[in-house]
Amino acid sequence: MSALPWHDRVASLWAAAEELDPAALRSEMAGLIAEREEGDPEALFEAASVEDFLGQETAAIPLYRAALSAGLSGIRRTEATIQLASSLRNVGDSSGAIALLRGVPEEDPLAPSARAFLALALHDDDKPTPALRRVLADLAPTLPAYGRSVAAYAAELPARPRVRSIAVALIVRDGWVLAERYPENRERGAYLRAPGGGIDFGERAEDAVVRELREELGASVTTRRLLAVVENIFVDGPGTRGHEVAFVFAARSPETDALPLDGRIAVIDGHTEVGWYRLADLQAGELPFYPDGALELACALDADG
């Protein structure tokens, strides 16, 4: 065994990684990992990094998660978070990447890097305006002139007008409906929306509703049935108008069925929560429930049992 410290030998291996074929890199790293105790977080991180380096994101993701769960700390923890988020983005889970990257504290030395990857994930999640705002906000302080103007324009940058196709789930239970609550702002009051989200290009609406509940709530969908296709045109914030075509599905999920009536699930890639709301209260006008027509559909579902 070399007299050099383990971390130095790992660094030397990474310095030579470009010159090694995949089998040799895996073999040499495996030898270094074997020197650590089983489940060592740094060893798991290095194993994940090898798979990531070789373009095997699906193999790297569980190793990154294991390293974080095992207590990886310090700068390595932030590196693992960023690299895991990047791998998730590369396999199509932009929502999961966004949730991880938003959790990196502003005071972290790698926070600027996390924000750069956040911008990429926002773009891939069909949120180009928030992605551009993020990049311009970070760029503005470095500009030789006009930094304040760029920062101000970035903060006021409106989302581009577009028609968005979404798929949402109506999940009802004994007079209650599952809904995501959005807080009030200067333009409108608080409101509820059936959980779900955007349909990706080339994706069927029935598959999108399954993916969205998995990505946003960590919930599986066991059944879904298309009830209606409805349209929403609305104002969602200062200078922000929305236009959605919504595919509304009746759905069932064991995870949401197990949620107590007073329980809440935090949306993984956002700042909202999903919980149960009494249909009778919504019919009485307690809170608007979107998309348009969803309340009537939910009441009909509840009546059908």
Side-chain angles (χ1 to χ4, degrees), residues 68-292:
L68 291 168
S69 296
L72 190 66
S73 60
I75 196 70
R76 284 287 185 268
R77 186 170 189 85
T78 310
E79 289 175 348
T81 299
I82 293 172
Q83 290 170 213
L84 171 57
S86 179
S87 294
L88 289 172
R89 171 181 166 261
N90 287 336
V91 300
D93 186 5
S94 298
S95 295
I98 291 168
L100 282 169
L101 294 165
R102 281 178 170 162
V104 176
E106 287 295 316
E107 63 273 15
D108 192 291
L110 292 180
S113 299
R115 292 195 296 265
F117 279 94
L118 175 59
L120 290 169
L122 287 166
H123 179 273
D124 282 4
D125 202 42
D126 204 20
K127 297 179 174 72
T129 302
L132 182 56
R133 286 196 200 108
R134 178 70 274 167
V135 171
L136 289 176
D138 283 346
L139 179 63
T142 72
L143 298 177
Y146 309 110
R148 289 179 61 188
S149 296
V150 169
Y153 284 132
E156 298 172 356
L157 194 65
R160 65 185 186 191
R162 64 191 177 109
V163 178
R164 184 171 179 244
S165 296
I166 66 171
V168 299
L170 277 184
I171 301 175
V172 298
R173 170 176 149 195
D174 300 327
W176 298 71
V177 64
L178 195 75
E180 183 175 357
R181 183 182 177 119
Y182 288 78
E184 64 179 314
N185 61 32
R186 289 183 297 173
E187 298 291 316
R188 47 114 184 111
Y191 68 92
L192 304 175
R193 196 195 73 172
I199 303 170
D200 290 339
F201 180 82
E203 182 181 42
R204 294 186 181 278
E206 63 178 338
D207 297 325
V209 75
V210 174
R211 175 185 53 76
E212 283 289 331
L213 264 68
R214 181 183 69 248
E215 291 180 355
E216 293 194 353
L217 306 179
S220 58
V221 174
T222 52
T223 61
R224 72 270 194 202
R225 173 171 57 89
L226 183 64
L227 296 175
V229 179
V230 300
E231 193 169 21
N232 268 350
I233 300 175
F234 56 93
V235 175
D236 193 40
T240 304
R241 297 182 67 233
H243 187 170
E244 294 176 338
V245 175
F247 291 74
V248 184
F249 290 86
R252 301 298 301 179
S253 166
E255 291 83 3
T256 60
D257 283 349
L259 181 69
L261 291 177
D262 60 352
R264 294 290 183 266
I265 302 174
V267 174
I268 293 171
D269 64 343
H271 304 288
T272 54
E273 292 182 329
V274 166
W276 295 105
Y277 293 85
R278 196 188 302 272
L279 284 168
D281 294 339
L282 301 186
Q283 287 178 298
E286 181 177 273
L287 282 171
F289 181 49
Y290 296 111
D292 286 340

